[in-house]
Amino acid sequence: MPKDHGIGASSKRREDVRFLTGRGRYTDDINLRGQTHAVFVRSQVAHGRIRSIDTGAAEAMPGVLKVFTAKDFEGKGGVPCGWQIHDRQGKPMLEPKHPILAEGKVRYVGDAIACVVAETLEQARDAAEAVEVDIEELPAVIDMKAAVRGGALVHDELGSNLCYDWGFIEDNKAPTDAAFAKADHVTTLELVNNRLIPNAMEPRVAIGDYDFARDDYTLYTTSQNPHVIRLLMGAFVLSIPEHKLRVVAPDVGGGFGSKIFHYIEEAFVTHASRVVGRPVKWTCTRSESFMTDAHGRDHVTKIELALDKAGHFLALRTETYANMGAYLSTFAPSIPTYLHGTLMAGTYKTPLIYVNVKAVFTNTVPVDAYRGAGRPEATFQLERVIDKAAREMGIDPIEIRRRNFVGADEFPYQTPVAVQYDTGNYQATMDRLVQIADIAGFEARRAESARKGLLRGLGVNCYIEACGIAPSNLVGQLGARAGLYESATVRVNATGGIVVMTGSHSHGQGHETAFPQVISELIGIPESMVEVVHGDTSNTPMGMGTYGSRSLAVGGSAMVKATNKIIAKAKKIAAHLMEASDQDIELKGGKFTVAGTDKSVDWGSVCLAAYVPHNYPLAELEPGLEETAFYDPSNFTYPAGAYACEVEVDPETGKVTVCSFAAADDFGNIVNPMIVEGQVHGGIGQGIGQAMLEGAAYDGNGQLLSGSYMDYAMPRATDVPFYRVDHSCQTPCTHNPLGVKGCGEAGAIGSPPAVVNAVLDALNRGGHRVDHIDMPVSPARVWQAING
């Protein structure tokens, strides 16, 4: 029987009631007394020297309080980068200042030059149009390889557009090259991982509010990690003591990574609120989102795979150019390095791997983490080159993967790229995929498609990802400038209800449902008795927020630690009430019992006794039931899976239709199967979007050609099939108390190569020899490939 509560139950998401009835409270819903409005003047050229800024006409317009330029931020810091990378020779990366408003030069279309603060939004917009900016246009740096060869510099003071040239692991390079020299077969593939624009449903919003009476600041913002924003902005940009800065992130309508980072608009409204003496609100338009939200992906890669005669992998090497954009976003340097290079082993026993990454500054929007963050890039490279090798060697694509899987009896498995997988069973997930995707029936379906004049293809791939980046002492050595623990405070009320205050932040993950399920399982009380509080630095313990599929594995583990402390103290109180030893007390179903007797006391009575200590050993126990815990993982979690996609291709037009998609995932123990299924559905949808539709494009002058939905294609319901999703293959994580692994990014990691592999399979089965098509595999690209 399916469970109806606790761990393993498909409890309905309680937060959805307010979202579906229009009662959510997002940042733009907040309007403060005396509030003013900010509108930014943004660069219309990608690269240029600012000759002058004339704000006179704008300042004289009705309702305008002030027009800010860079001179108003003299003495303030730039937006900091949260991760430092060292290159192959051990030198630190080049790290330019990222000013709040452009200083001297503009470096991408959308770069903020000035900002108008006015009484109303309409007045601010009108005045922003009256600001006159004289810019000497300079050659735009767009192509990464050309940027490294020389020419114009994005940052003159750096003397180079190469942020870093990173080798991983450098000691592997010579042995890897030697293995290639002796290999029986080498497959080479050059590919692009297309630049993506996040497009969360809720655009970014920021409201700064300075309180003169208390000399403190409040920032309301759309953020995935308010504590990190407080740390970065307070300490490094505006020099505000942390106890004088409160950051509140209420309901957040999607993030996908784009709301992890500290943006200049957050620092601007916070500082401006003190200058004008009023709250300052900025709401991003969708057009601004396209050219200011951190973009994702944007890699150009050459990958090579060396194999023996039997198709066993001998060595792998890659050279990647990774776009940083004009400035270093908060975690940008880590994405193509430690979140990408460490995953190049995939689910396979490749003895030697060498990864080279050249990070490049260009006159484009900064690039940072987007759902999957480095792992989709690694998986796409690896699974595409494996498929090509299988075709070249005449080996079935499923079989070549099986021959190279890490065996179920080989865990823990040390990869040649530093990370150690603690558990997994890749044969089992592939076996399950073969069943749910009905691989055996593919030929019949292909014949049916052929009768309609369509080419049908089957694409498979495997993925592994590293979730819950850890541990802090290791990532610190790798360049992280923040800890990567998580926190929780569990407060038990006198009547037995519980409030969990967590550093994890929810922007669609279902924390308010899943976290109470864990507490319910541990204590045996109804989930309705547990409330989750998050998103406000004034009433939650310092935490690192939500990204990298870490919430349950890291945040949930902190919550378990705190709850276990609560249970330990509650047992002592129960023992006192029943005149027994706390060592003999058992807790089950919300009731404390003395082992081997019929003596018992319920959860509520123990909680009341904790707060009404009339008959209480005060010399031995403090009153109250509240505990805080921090959890710093000893390792990543490693969810893995196998995906299959079937497509039909119209050879006359190049149109691709995704007919079916199946996903077999190993997420360890499952807390809420319905939420997990939804997360996978969403990820697959985004992956199909990247594979078939989405792609940010710049022209040679640095103008964003895909700056609206007229030119940037988002997936619609008709673009995706019904998914067959399975997570029955469970190998629990061995190093967190719940045995859980991340699930939020898996779909976006595993789906793009499955789609592209399916398209190429269809073309090759149809007699068209095509080795590769870059994403998005649009009808035009497919038609061109068919027709040579």
Side-chain angles (χ1 to χ4, degrees):
M1 288 286 293
K3 293 187 67 176
D4 60 1
H5 69 280
I7 292 176
S10 288
S11 301
K12 291 184 178 179
R13 289 179 19 135
R14 62 169 72 176
E15 51 267 74
D16 286 350
V17 174
R18 69 175 186 273
F19 296 148
L20 294 173
T21 56
R23 292 179 173 85
R25 186 171 184 262
Y26 299 89
T27 307
D28 196 48
D29 293 323
I30 299 170
N31 292 291
L32 305 178
R33 183 178 180 183
Q35 175 178 285
T36 63
H37 296 267
V39 171
F40 287 88
V41 178
R42 299 190 182 276
S43 176
Q44 298 179 23
V45 302
H47 193 198
R49 191 165 285 109
I50 300 173
R51 289 178 174 144
S52 65
I53 306 174
D54 185 351
T55 62
E59 289 172 329
M61 293 179 71
V64 173
L65 300 178
K66 183 171 176 57
V67 180
F68 290 81
T69 62
K71 69 178 185 294
D72 295 294
F73 291 88
E74 291 177 357
K76 303 299 181 185
V79 175
C81 179
W83 202 298
Q84 184 184 57
I85 295 297
H86 287 75
D87 69 11
R88 296 163 62 184
Q89 285 73 44
K91 294 190 303 183
M93 65 187 186
L94 299 182
E95 192 169 358
K97 181 182 180 181
H98 185 180
I100 296 173
L101 295 175
E103 297 175 354
K105 283 176 71 174
V106 292
R107 294 183 171 87
Y108 65 96
V109 173
D111 207 355
I113 301 170
C115 190
V116 176
V117 176
E119 296 284 357
T120 70
L121 180 58
E122 292 73 17
Q123 289 171 334
R125 284 174 177 163
D126 290 343
E129 291 183 3
V131 176
E132 295 184 6
V133 184
D134 183 12
I135 296 177
E136 175 194 352
E137 193 165 354
L138 301 171
V141 180
I142 304 301
D143 180 84
M144 287 188 282
K145 292 184 179 180
V148 172
R149 288 196 296 267
L153 294 173
V154 179
H155 298 276
D156 301 324
E157 71 277 13
L158 299 183
S160 173
N161 291 320
L162 184 63
C163 178
Y164 56 77
D165 182 355
W166 182 79
F168 186 75
I169 293 175
E170 196 64 26
D171 289 346
N172 285 357
K173 187 176 189 309
T176 300
D177 291 343
F180 270 89
K182 298 175 183 176
D184 295 298
H185 183 88
V186 173
T187 294
T188 302
L189 184 60
E190 296 190 32
L191 48 82
V192 173
N193 205 294
N194 42 325
R195 178 184 279 239
L196 303 177
I197 300 175
N199 280 296
M201 288 184 69
E202 178 200 23
R204 291 188 295 117
V205 184
I207 307 169
D209 183 20
Y210 176 70
D211 185 332
F212 280 87
R214 296 172 56 87
D215 185 31
D216 60 20
Y217 302 78
T218 299
L219 169 68
Y220 301 91
T221 185
T222 47
S223 175
Q224 297 175 217
N225 49 2
H227 283 282
V228 172
I229 302 304
R230 183 181 70 168
L231 173 64
L232 294 177
M233 188 178 77
F236 299 104
V237 186
L238 300 180
S239 300
I240 301 171
E242 276 194 89
H243 67 284
K244 289 293 184 180
L245 175 60
R246 175 190 179 200
V247 177
V248 180
D251 289 330
V252 173
F256 313 117
S258 70
K259 293 173 184 171
I260 300 172
F261 325 120
H262 176 31
Y263 288 94
I264 62 104
E265 293 87 0
E266 294 165 322
F268 175 85
V269 297
T270 305
H271 175 71
S273 68
R274 177 166 186 161
V275 174
V276 303
R278 306 257 296 276
V280 178
K281 182 176 185 177
W282 169 76
T283 299
C284 189
T285 67
R286 185 60 66 179
S287 295
E288 279 184 296
S289 291
F290 270 89
M291 61 182 180
T292 63
D293 290 3
H295 291 179
R297 317 290 192 245
D298 205 352
H299 286 190
V300 176
T301 297
K302 178 182 179 181
I303 181 169
E304 299 171 283
L305 178 63
L307 307 93
D308 67 13
K309 290 185 177 68
H312 296 115
F313 305 162
L314 302 177
L316 182 80
R317 63 186 175 196
T318 71
E319 181 184 57
T320 291
Y321 287 81
N323 206 335
M324 294 290 100
Y327 300 101
L328 292 178
S329 182
T330 305
F331 293 114
S334 67
I335 306 306
T337 52
Y338 292 113
L339 294 184
H340 158 239
T342 53
L343 270 294
M344 287 308 302
T347 54
Y348 311 107
K349 294 185 291 187
T350 309
L352 291 163
I353 299 174
Y354 179 70
V355 178
N356 175 234
V357 176
K358 295 176 175 64
V360 184
F361 291 113
T362 62
N363 292 121
T364 62
V365 174
V367 177
D368 209 318
Y370 176 72
R371 196 171 191 169
R375 289 95 88 195
E377 295 90 315
T379 300
F380 186 71
Q381 296 170 32
L382 182 60
E383 293 298 318
R384 281 292 302 113
V385 79
I386 290 173
D387 237 49
K388 186 182 179 191
R391 186 169 292 114
E392 290 174 347
M393 299 185 72
I395 304 173
D396 178 81
I398 292 179
E399 175 56 29
I400 198 172
R401 289 172 168 84
R402 288 190 187 275
R403 289 181 193 179
N404 290 281
F405 278 154
V406 177
D409 59 348
E410 295 180 277
F411 293 94
Y413 179 77
Q414 179 62 54
T415 73
V417 279
V419 296
Q420 185 182 83
Y421 305 156
D422 63 325
T423 184
N425 190 336
Y426 311 138
Q427 291 283 3
T429 52
M430 181 61 84
D431 290 344
R432 187 66 180 133
L433 178 73
V434 169
Q435 294 174 354
I436 66 173
D438 186 22
I439 301 294
F442 170 72
E443 285 301 332
R445 295 189 293 274
R446 188 167 79 90
E448 177 61 28
S449 297
R451 283 191 285 273
K452 296 183 292 183
L454 302 174
L455 308 177
R456 195 176 189 99
L458 169 66
V460 298
N461 74 276
C462 300
Y463 80 90
I464 190 167
E465 63 165 322
C467 301
I469 307 170
S472 290
N473 56 8
L474 172 61
V475 297
Q477 296 172 35
L478 301 180
R481 289 166 168 167
L484 289 170
Y485 53 84
E486 200 43 79
S487 62
T489 295
V490 176
R491 177 180 297 161
V492 182
N493 299 316
T495 54
I498 293 176
V499 178
V500 178
M501 291 157 282
T502 173
S504 297
H505 186 279
S506 179
H507 49 281
Q509 291 80 2
H511 294 174
E512 293 171 43
T513 301
F515 285 0
Q517 288 182 249
V518 175
I519 300 286
S520 171
E521 186 79 17
L522 293 172
I523 297 176
I525 58 176
E527 295 161 20
S528 59
M529 292 178 65
V530 184
E531 179 187 358
V532 176
V533 174
H534 58 88
D536 187 339
T537 61
S538 68
N539 60 19
T540 56
M542 175 71 175
M544 292 296 106
T546 296
Y547 48 86
S549 301
R550 71 191 303 269
S551 295
L552 199 56
V554 187
S557 294
M559 183 180 62
V560 169
K561 285 184 65 177
T563 304
N564 284 337
K565 291 181 182 181
I566 291 287
I567 292 171
K569 183 174 180 180
K571 284 183 176 181
K572 292 181 180 180
I573 298 171
H576 170 72
L577 294 176
M578 293 184 286
E579 298 180 333
S581 167
D582 61 287
Q583 301 299 316
D584 296 329
I585 301 300
E586 297 175 344
L587 172 61
K588 187 175 181 181
K591 182 178 291 187
F592 296 91
T593 59
V594 179
T597 75
D598 58 359
K599 283 187 175 182
S600 67
V601 60
D602 63 74
W603 169 257
S605 298
V606 170
C607 297
L608 185 63
Y611 287 97
V612 185
H614 295 164
N615 177 24
Y616 197 85
L618 293 174
E620 302 169 21
L621 281 173
E622 296 178 356
L625 267 180
E626 180 173 326
E627 298 288 348
T628 296
F630 289 77
Y631 176 75
D632 201 316
S634 60
N635 194 359
F636 297 88
T637 70
Y638 297 99
Y643 285 12
C645 176
E646 286 188 30
V647 301
E648 284 183 334
V649 177
D650 185 340
E652 297 298 317
T653 65
K655 184 180 186 299
V656 176
T657 301
V658 179
C659 304
S660 65
F661 201 103
D665 296 291
D666 174 6
F667 296 133
N669 293 334
I670 303 294
V671 170
N672 187 310
M674 181 180 66
I675 288 179
V676 168
E677 186 169 341
Q679 288 282 324
V680 175
H681 282 194
I684 294 173
Q686 283 184 275
I688 290 175
Q690 176 176 11
M692 294 184 58
L693 298 160
E694 299 182 51
Y698 284 90
D699 69 10
N701 295 317
Q703 291 294 327
L704 181 62
L705 301 178
S706 53
S708 75
Y709 292 138
M710 294 294 289
D711 303 293
Y712 188 90
M714 296 283 285
R716 301 183 181 186
T718 54
D719 295 311
V720 297
F722 287 97
Y723 312 119
R724 291 191 292 276
V725 173
D726 180 90
H727 43 257
S728 62
C729 300
Q730 298 176 9
T731 59
C733 175
T734 60
H735 55 78
N736 69 54
L738 291 168
V740 297
K741 305 176 183 180
C743 72
E745 296 164 290
I749 295 169
S751 52
V755 174
V756 177
N757 286 346
V759 172
L760 292 168
D761 183 64
L763 298 185
N764 280 273
R765 288 177 187 266
H768 305 283
R769 177 63 189 271
V770 181
D771 287 331
H772 181 66
I773 303 175
D774 277 323
M775 299 183 291
V777 285
S778 62
R781 286 181 171 177
V782 174
W783 187 90
Q784 288 169 349
I786 290 172
N787 291 280

